[in-house]
Amino acid sequence: MAVDRTLLFKASVKTVKTRNKAIGIGFDSTKDEIFKRTRPKSGFSPKAKEVITNITKLKDFLLQHRKDYVSAGSLISSDLTRMTDSERDQIDQDAQIFMRTCSEAIKQLRNEAEKKVTSSQIKEHRGAVLDLIEMYLKGVCKLYSEQRAIRVKRMVDKKRLSRLAPEHHSQVEKTRAIEPTEEKAVKEESSEKSTSEVLDNTVEHLWEEGRVEDELSPEEIQMVCYLRQHCCHGTFHPFPFFLPVRQIEGKVVEISRLQEIFAEKVLQQETEIDSIHQLVVGATENVKEGNEDIREAIKNNAGFRVWILFFLVMCSFSLLFLDWYDS
Amino acid sequence: MAASVREKQTVALKRMLNFNAPPLKNTAAEPVWKVLIYDRFGQDIISPLLSVKELRDMGITLHLLLHSDRDPIPDVPAIYFVMPTEENIDRICQDLRNQLYESYYLNFISAISRSKLEDIASAALAANAVSQVTKVFDQYLNFITLEDDMFILCHQNKELISYHAINRPDIQDTDMDAIMDTIVDSLFCFFVTLGAVPIIRCPRGNAAEMVAVKLDKKLRENLRDARNSLFTGDSMAAGQFSFQRPLFVLADRNVDMATPLHHTWTYQALIHDVLDFHLNRVMMEEGAGAEPSPAGARPKKKSRKTYDLTAADKFWQKHKGSPFPEVAESVQEELDTYRAQEDEVKRLKSIMGLEGEDEGAISMLSDNTAKLTSAVSSLPELLEKKRLIDLHTNVATAVLDHIKSRKLDVYFEYEEKLMSKSTLDKSLLDIISDPDAGTPEDKMRLFLIYYITTQQAPTESDLEQYKKALLDAGCDLSPLTYIKQWKAFTKMASTPANYGNSGVKPMGLFSRVMNTGSQFVMEGVKNLVLKQHVSETESADWSSVTSQETDDYRYFDPKMLRGSESSIPRNKNPFQEAIVFVVGGGNYIEYQNLVDYTKSKQGKKVVYGCSELFNSAQFIKQVRAADCSDMMLL
C-alpha cells in the first residue's frame, strides 16, 4: 500500500524556499521557465504522439460505427440505423487507407530514429516506443478485421441460403474457388511487408470468395430453376442441401483462419530469413578474407624460406671462395 | 487472505508502474511510455515478480540502474524505485540538476525521512525542476517475495543482517539496534502490503524476542495515529482483517542448527544446495569441460547459462518439492508426451502434403483442417514446453552429476537416520574416512549434525578419533568449536519448554510418510525413501497454533490499547493463517517441510519468511567466521 507524499514534498519545497529567502539566496526562476517553454516542437516524441492520436481517432471511429456496421439488418428495424453496403465499403476503404498511412508513418519514424542516433539508450528507447505503437496499431487493425470478417461471413451466408444449389456442384466450385484465391493471396503476401496490408489481404481473400460466388451464379441459377420445376409438386425439403453447405462454410472459415496464421508466421520468418541472409553474406566475406590471408601467409612463408636458402647458399659460396682465396 | 503475498506485491508494483493509478482493464488502450530507474534493492524486488516482457507490455521502454551512466532523454517520464539512502538521494538530486527526464515519479521502497525529502526539495528548487517532480510515494515494499508463500528480507547487503552479524560475540548494542531496525522495517513493510495486523508470538530470550518487541511497538504507533494509519485504507476490503488475523510466529536460528546443515533430497532444495541459485535464477556453467582440446586451437569456452524458474513454469511449480527421483521420472514423462505431440504434428504435415492435390478429398480435408488449426495454434505452447523440458533436463543433469560425484544420497540417508534416532548401519567413522564420498565440507556437515543430535556428548577419545579422521579428510575444524559452545549454551538455558532439545521430544508430530524412490536414470545412486521430516520450526508453529506448551512464548497484540506485557494467550478462534519467520536465516528445507505440512492440514495457510536465505556452504562459512572472531569464550 503506497502512501502519497507529494503534498509533504510540496510543503518541504515551500519551507526550503522561505528558508532560502531568509538566507538571501534568490533565483531567477521566471526567466528560466520562459526559456523552457520553447522546447523543440518537432522532436521524435511529438511525432510519435501524433501517430498515436491518429490511431486513436481511427479506433474511436471504428467503435462508433461498429454497431451499425455489424447489425444484422432485419426487416423490422428502421432504415435510419441500417447501413447500406456502399457505406460499409466506404468505411472499409477509409480504414484501410488510414492504417496504411499509419504504418508508413511508423516506418518513417523508425528510419529517422536510426539516422539521428545520439546514444544507445536513446536508440533503445525509441525502438521500444515504436514497437509499442506498432502493437497498438495491430490491436486496432484486429478490431477492423474482425468486423470485416463478420460482415463477409454474413454475406457468404446470405448468398448460400438464397441459393438452392446441389452439394456436389458447390463443393467442386468451392475447391476451385479456394485454390486460386489462396495461391493469389500467398503470392501477394510474399511481396508485401506490413502487417496491416496482410490483414487487408486476408480480408480481401474472403471478399474475393464472395465475388467468385457471384460469377458462378448464372450456372447455379439454371440449376435452381430446374430444381424448382421438379420440386414444386411435393413438399420441398431444403434440409439435405443445407447440411453439406454448412459443413463447407465451417471449413472455409477454418481455412481462412489457418491462412491468417500462416501468413503471420511466413512474415515473421521472412524477417528472420533476411537477417540470416545478411549474416551468411557476412560470413562468406569473412571466410574469403580468411582464405586470402592464409594464401598470403603461405606465400610469405615460402618467400622467407627462399631467402633463407639463398643466404645459406651465399654463405657456403663465400666460405668456399675464401678457402680458395687463402690457399 | 484471498490473494497471496506475491500477488499483492505484484499488484502494488504494477500500480506503481502505472504512475500510481490503478491499471485500466482496457485492452486496446493508448500506449504511454516511461523509463524505469531502480537501485539494486529495487532490482531484487522486481526481478522475481515481473519479467522484461511484462515490463515492456506496461510501457517501460528502458530499465536502468540508478548509479549507472544515463543519457538525457528529455521527453519521457521517469519512474524511480529506490531505497531512501544518502547516495541514492544525492544521485536523484544530480539527475534533477542535469535535467535528464521530463517528469519524475519518485517511489521509495521504504518510508523516507523528512530531512531527506527536504534535500530533494532544495535540489529541485536549485534546478528549477519543482514542477517536474510530479509524485513522491512511499511504497512500503521492502521485502522480496520468492514464492507464493515465501519471502526473504533482502539479498543485497545481506551480510548486515546475517546469522553471523547477529550472533557474533563481539557485537555492540548499537550494531544490534541497527540490525533490528532493518529487520523490523522490512517486516513492517510486509505487513502493510499484506494489509493485516498480526498477533505476534515469540520465544523468550533471544534475537527473535527483540524483533518482536520492536515490531509490536512500531505497529502500535502506526495504528494509534488514526489519521495516517496504513492499515485502514479504503483500498483494502473492510472485513478482510477484522475477522481473521494472521498469527506471526518468530523463531531464532539458534533453535535448530541442524536443518541448515542437512543434506536434502527435494528438487528445489537440492538446486539451492548444489548449484548457484539466487532469486529464482539458476546459473550454471555448461561446456565441454572434460574433453581435451586439440592442440593449437583455443580451449572451448564454458558458457554460463542462466535459467529463470518462475511461477509460470508449471513443471517447476508441481515438482519443486518432490524428491529427486520423482522429478527425473516426470521429466522423462513430459519428454515423451512432447515427442508424441510433435509426431502428431509431423504426421499431419505429411497427410496434408499428400491430400492437397486430391480432388475428391474434401471430407477428409475438413477433419484435418480442424486438426491442423488446433495443431498450429498449439505450436507456440509446444515450443514453450520444449524449452522448459530442456531447462529442467539440464538442471536435473547438473544436480545428478553432483549427487553422483559427492554421493549425496548416502549422506542424506545417514543424516535422516541420525535425526530420527533410528539405528545406524554404518559407523560415522567409516563414512568420514571414506575418501571418495563427498567433499570435506559434506563430511563436516555430517559430523556436525551428529554432534548436534546426539543425546549424550561423545566421549573424549571418540571425539579425538573423529577429529583426526576429519583432519585427514581435509576438513576445517573451526565450526566444530562454535557448535560446541552453542550446544553448551542451549543446554544451560534449557527450561521445560525449551526447543534446544525438542528434537528428542516427539510431541506427536513425527509423521513418517514413506515415498518410495523410483528406478529412473539413477544408476549407482541408491533408491532412497523420503520420509517427511518435521523440523523444530514446524513444531513451534503447530504448537502455537493450538496454543499448547507455548505458554512460555510471549504474546503481543498491537491492536490492544494497553501495551501490556501480558503473556496470557487469549483463547481466540484457532488461527487460519500463520506466518513463520526465522531470524538469522532460513533455507528451502524448512520451507518445503512447511509446505508439506500445510498440505496435510486442511484450510490453514502458512507463509514462510527468513531474514536471509543461505545454503549449507554459506552457513558453514558464517559459523566459521563467528568462531574465528571469538577468542575469549574458549
Side-chain angles (χ1 to χ4, degrees):
Chain A
M1 246 220 4
V3 175
D4 193 349
R5 288 279 154 88
T6 323
L7 295 171
L8 194 57
F9 176 71
K10 299 239 170 8
S12 339
V13 167
K14 280 204 192 93
T15 341
V16 173
K17 243 193 225 167
T18 45
R19 202 191 306 153
N20 285 345
K21 263 201 207 118
I23 306 177
I25 308 172
F27 288 113
D28 299 331
S29 45
T30 46
K31 238 196 284 176
D32 291 337
E33 277 180 25
I34 295 176
F35 273 137
K36 251 193 248 154
R37 288 284 170 266
T38 62
R39 279 244 178 87
K41 283 293 171 197
S42 64
F44 172 78
S45 152
K47 283 194 207 142
K49 287 215 176 78
E50 230 185 276
V51 176
I52 289 193
T53 37
N54 287 342
I55 301 180
T56 317
K57 270 193 237 155
L58 171 67
K59 182 178 85 159
D60 292 337
F61 175 72
L62 282 176
L63 285 174
Q64 196 186 15
H65 293 282
R66 185 166 237 208
K67 197 153 169 277
D68 294 334
Y69 191 94
V70 166
S71 69
S74 68
L75 295 165
I76 311 174
S77 68
S78 66
D79 285 320
L80 289 171
T81 53
R82 272 176 76 177
M83 258 193 180
T84 59
D85 274 345
S86 59
E87 279 180 15
R88 290 206 178 99
D89 287 343
Q90 185 68 23
I91 291 182
D92 285 346
Q93 249 179 338
D94 290 339
Q96 277 178 32
I97 296 175
F98 213 87
M99 283 194 280
R100 242 167 254 172
T101 32
C102 288
S103 56
E104 293 283 333
I106 295 178
K107 254 188 270 178
Q108 216 180 1
L109 272 176
R110 216 183 264 277
N111 291 339
E112 254 183 52
E114 297 272 318
K115 272 184 252 157
K116 288 190 206 164
V117 128
T118 34
S119 83
S120 66
Q121 283 182 9
I122 297 192
K123 222 198 310 187
E124 206 185 314
H125 164 72
R126 289 191 178 167
V129 167
L130 288 168
D131 287 338
L132 283 173
I133 301 182
E134 251 183 57
M135 270 177 43
Y136 184 47
L137 181 63
K138 249 194 231 178
V140 173
C141 290
K142 229 182 237 173
L143 275 179
Y144 163 73
S145 62
E146 273 170 18
Q147 253 175 253
R148 192 80 200 277
I150 296 178
R151 176 192 173 197
V152 171
K153 186 163 187 284
R154 191 168 298 121
M155 281 173 36
V156 168
D157 280 348
K158 268 195 215 148
K159 289 209 168 72
R160 289 206 182 291
L161 287 175
S162 64
R163 223 174 288 125
L164 299 173
E167 57 179 84
H168 177 67
H169 195 74
S170 61
Q171 270 184 8
V172 170
E173 304 304 344
K174 204 71 234 160
T175 15
R176 273 198 255 135
I178 294 171
E179 288 174 17
T181 47
E182 266 187 38
E183 285 172 31
K184 204 155 106 185
V186 166
K187 258 188 261 165
E188 281 176 16
E189 272 142 35
S190 58
S191 58
E192 264 148 4
K193 305 248 187 237
S194 84
T195 329
S196 56
E197 293 180 50
V198 170
L199 287 170
D200 295 346
N201 265 336
T202 334
V203 172
E204 277 163 18
H205 161 244
L206 290 172
W207 178 226
E208 276 162 24
E209 260 178 35
R211 272 191 269 132
V212 164
E213 296 298 322
D214 276 335
E215 289 159 15
L216 296 170
S217 50
E219 298 170 55
E220 294 183 1
I221 288 176
Q222 277 185 357
M223 298 296 296
V224 165
C225 298
Y226 174 77
L227 273 172
R228 277 201 180 130
Q229 280 173 354
H230 279 257
C231 301
C232 64
H233 303 298
T235 47
F236 183 63
H237 292 286
F239 183 65
F241 298 121
F242 281 170
L243 195 55
V245 163
R246 280 214 194 291
Q247 283 176 354
I248 294 168
E249 256 175 50
K251 289 170 212 158
V252 164
V253 167
E254 277 172 32
I255 290 178
S256 70
R257 248 188 303 149
L258 265 180
Q259 202 231 338
E260 208 177 306
I261 300 177
F262 282 140
E264 220 180 285
K265 298 275 182 244
V266 163
L267 273 176
Q268 278 174 14
Q269 287 181 6
E270 185 180 2
T271 42
E272 278 168 34
I273 292 175
D274 274 339
S275 63
I276 293 177
H277 176 66
Q278 300 287 340
L279 283 172
V280 163
V281 165
T284 28
E285 299 282 338
N286 288 346
V287 167
K288 261 191 242 163
E289 279 175 33
N291 281 342
E292 298 290 333
D293 288 339
I294 290 177
R295 240 174 256 138
E296 256 191 63
I298 294 176
K299 252 191 281 181
N300 287 347
N301 213 9
F304 187 58
R305 273 197 229 115
V306 165
W307 280 111
I308 295 277
L309 213 56
F310 177 67
F311 175 69
L312 286 172
V313 165
M314 282 286 97
C315 280
S316 50
F317 272 135
S318 61
L319 279 172
L320 283 170
F321 173 71
L322 286 169
D323 190 42
W324 170 81
Y325 192 68
D326 242 357
S327 64
Chain B
M1 55 198 158
S4 67
V5 174
R6 171 152 62 179
E7 280 162 25
K8 290 210 171 136
Q9 204 177 20
T10 319
V11 162
L13 274 177
K14 285 197 175 155
R15 243 186 52 184
M16 171 191 83
L17 292 175
N18 198 24
F19 301 128
N20 291 104
L24 307 161
K25 286 295 179 186
N26 192 1
T27 44
E30 277 189 16
V32 182
W33 48 81
K34 37 192 114 94
V35 171
L36 175 65
I37 307 198
Y38 46 72
D39 62 348
R40 293 208 182 270
F41 286 92
Q43 190 179 28
D44 289 338
I45 295 176
I46 298 183
S47 66
L49 295 176
L50 295 172
S51 64
V52 176
K53 184 173 171 308
E54 284 174 22
L55 287 178
R56 282 280 151 94
D57 287 340
M58 300 199 65
I60 309 260
T61 57
L62 281 182
H63 44 94
L64 304 164
L65 268 181
L66 180 67
H67 291 285
S68 60
D69 289 323
R70 282 173 284 124
D71 303 319
I73 309 181
D75 40 15
V76 152
I79 301 186
Y80 282 74
F81 184 56
V82 296
M83 287 287 276
T85 62
E86 275 301 321
E87 326 156 325
N88 291 353
I89 304 277
D90 285 338
R91 187 63 201 257
I92 295 180
C93 297
Q94 197 185 349
D95 287 348
L96 284 170
R97 278 193 287 273
N98 295 346
Q99 308 260 340
L100 287 182
Y101 307 110
E102 182 203 346
S103 56
Y104 298 81
Y105 292 81
L106 303 175
N107 296 284
F108 293 105
I109 301 180
S110 63
I112 184 172
S113 64
R114 185 71 198 250
S115 60
K116 296 213 175 84
L117 208 55
E118 284 187 7
D119 287 340
I120 305 184
S122 53
L125 260 181
N128 274 320
V130 179
S131 54
Q132 287 181 341
V133 178
T134 324
K135 291 230 168 149
V136 178
F137 266 82
D138 282 339
Q139 290 290 339
Y140 289 103
L141 286 174
N142 190 10
F143 60 97
I144 303 177
T145 314
L146 293 178
E147 309 275 347
D148 272 346
D149 44 4
M150 173 170 177
F151 69 97
I152 63 178
L153 289 191
C154 73
H155 183 65
Q156 297 294 322
N157 298 348
K158 62 180 177 176
E159 315 82 48
L160 292 175
I161 58 171
S162 66
Y163 177 77
H164 172 63
I166 300 180
N167 292 71
R168 61 187 174 154
D170 56 347
I171 188 169
Q172 314 278 353
D173 275 340
T174 44
D175 293 338
M176 197 62 175
D177 269 344
I179 296 178
M180 291 298 133
D181 280 336
T182 335
I183 298 183
V184 165
D185 181 48
S186 298
L187 285 174
F188 182 68
C189 293
F190 176 72
F191 284 114
V192 170
T193 313
L194 208 57
V197 179
I199 298 204
I200 309 177
R201 305 289 312 260
C202 68
R204 287 183 193 273
N206 51 18
E209 190 184 4
M210 294 172 65
V211 172
V213 164
K214 282 201 172 192
L215 183 63
D216 177 55
K217 199 164 120 209
K218 190 153 186 184
L219 283 169
R220 210 180 283 274
E221 275 170 17
N222 192 273
L223 281 172
R224 198 150 301 158
D225 187 6
R227 229 171 0 120
N228 291 341
S229 164
L230 295 162
F231 291 96
T232 55
D234 44 6
S235 61
M236 282 190 304
Q240 197 184 17
F241 62 86
S242 57
F243 291 166
Q244 280 294 348
R245 287 173 61 189
L247 173 69
F248 184 54
V249 177
L250 279 159
D252 192 288
R253 178 80 265 153
N254 284 324
V255 157
D256 172 18
M257 296 281 271
T259 314
L261 298 167
H262 188 30
H263 285 95
T264 89
W265 199 240
T266 57
Y267 193 31
Q268 188 177 33
L270 262 175
I271 294 181
H272 187 229
D273 198 16
V274 153
L275 302 172
D276 195 3
F277 183 53
H278 296 291
L279 295 177
N280 290 348
R281 180 172 288 185
V282 181
M283 279 194 277
M284 286 179 3
E285 277 191 2
E286 274 188 23
E291 298 167 16
S293 53
R298 290 214 198 100
K300 273 200 201 149
K301 270 188 259 184
K302 277 199 188 171
S303 58
R304 293 216 89 197
K305 287 243 172 110
T306 57
Y307 297 116
D308 279 323
L309 297 165
T310 60
D313 184 349
K314 290 212 176 50
F315 183 82
W316 173 245
Q317 292 302 319
K318 216 167 91 173
H319 289 279
K320 61 186 176 191
S322 335
F324 194 64
E326 223 179 271
V327 169
E329 237 181 45
S330 319
V331 171
Q332 189 66 15
E333 271 173 31
E334 293 275 316
L335 195 59
D336 289 336
T337 30
Y338 168 74
R339 288 227 178 95
Q341 281 173 326
E342 211 182 20
D343 289 337
E344 267 270 331
V345 175
K346 286 206 185 116
R347 201 176 50 86
L348 268 178
K349 194 169 71 166
S350 60
I351 288 180
M352 293 306 294
L354 284 173
E355 302 201 6
E357 302 123 21
D358 207 348
E359 283 282 349
I362 300 299
S363 50
M364 280 193 269
L365 200 65
S366 70
D367 287 338
N368 286 339
T369 317
K371 268 195 250 168
L372 198 62
T373 322
S374 57
V376 168
S377 48
S378 66
L379 218 57
E381 280 171 30
L382 221 57
L383 288 172
E384 178 67 16
K385 219 171 166 190
K386 172 158 205 308
R387 187 187 70 89
L388 290 176
I389 293 178
D390 279 341
L391 194 164
H392 284 286
T393 314
N394 288 340
V395 170
T397 319
V399 172
L400 187 58
D401 287 336
H402 276 271
I403 293 182
K404 280 202 193 149
S405 65
R406 287 158 64 178
K407 295 221 188 132
L408 291 176
D409 49 331
V410 171
Y411 280 100
F412 174 69
E413 200 183 358
Y414 203 79
E415 283 165 13
E416 283 286 311
K417 291 207 180 114
L418 276 177
M419 289 171 103
S420 55
K421 315 268 174 293
S422 54
T423 54
L424 311 164
D425 51 358
K426 227 174 151 182
S427 108
L428 188 60
L429 210 51
D430 284 341
I431 297 192
I432 295 184
S433 27
D434 187 356
D436 53 24
T439 65
E441 215 177 70
D442 291 326
K443 296 184 180 153
M444 197 63 207
R445 279 160 70 177
L446 181 61
F447 182 67
L448 285 173
I449 292 183
Y450 165 70
Y451 193 80
I452 294 174
T453 53
T454 51
Q455 295 222 301
Q456 68 273 50
T459 62
E460 272 306 312
S461 58
D462 276 347
L463 202 57
E464 283 309 313
Q465 231 184 353
Y466 286 131
K467 274 195 190 163
K468 202 169 89 53
L470 284 169
L471 281 170
D472 284 340
C475 311
D476 180 8
L477 286 178
S478 44
L480 182 57
T481 34
Y482 181 79
I483 298 286
K484 256 197 231 170
Q485 293 160 35
W486 169 82
K487 191 145 188 190
F489 191 67
T490 47
K491 272 215 182 86
M492 269 193 320
S494 100
T495 66
N498 188 0
Y499 280 75
N501 297 330
S502 70
V504 177
K505 238 183 291 180
M507 286 221 274
L509 291 175
F510 272 48
S511 58
R512 309 247 177 112
V513 175
M514 312 289 268
N515 288 337
T516 49
S518 78
Q519 290 290 341
F520 188 60
V521 280
M522 327 263 281
E523 318 98 25
V525 173
K526 292 201 316 201
N527 295 332
L528 286 178
V529 295
L530 182 74
K531 305 171 210 144
Q532 271 190 355
H533 176 86
V534 176
S535 73
E536 280 76 5
T537 36
E538 273 177 63
S539 52
D541 172 47
W542 191 78
S543 46
S544 355
V545 164
T546 59
S547 61
Q548 284 173 7
E549 310 234 10
T550 49
D551 296 333
D552 195 43
Y553 264 30
R554 294 190 61 187
Y555 176 90
F556 293 100
D557 184 351
K559 276 186 130 184
M560 290 193 334
L561 292 173
R562 285 175 297 113
S564 66
E565 296 268 313
S566 82
S567 47
I568 308 168
R570 298 275 203 81
N571 220 357
K572 289 183 142 204
N573 312 328
F575 295 100
Q576 296 299 330
E577 289 160 25
I579 303 166
V580 178
F581 187 79
V582 182
V583 176
N587 65 3
Y588 279 104
I589 306 177
E590 292 180 345
Y591 169 63
Q592 201 49 51
N593 283 340
L594 269 175
V595 165
D596 293 337
Y597 172 78
T598 321
K599 269 194 248 190
S600 62
K601 297 254 176 230
Q602 292 297 343
K604 296 210 193 280
K605 263 185 79 159
V606 181
V607 173
Y608 176 71
C610 47
S611 55
E612 60 154 345
L613 202 57
F614 44 51
N615 60 14
S616 312
Q618 293 160 352
F619 184 58
I620 290 206
K621 232 191 289 188
Q622 288 191 23
V623 165
R624 193 173 295 153
D627 175 65
C628 289
S629 60
D630 161 32
M631 302 295 180
M632 295 190 290
L633 270 168
L634 275 176

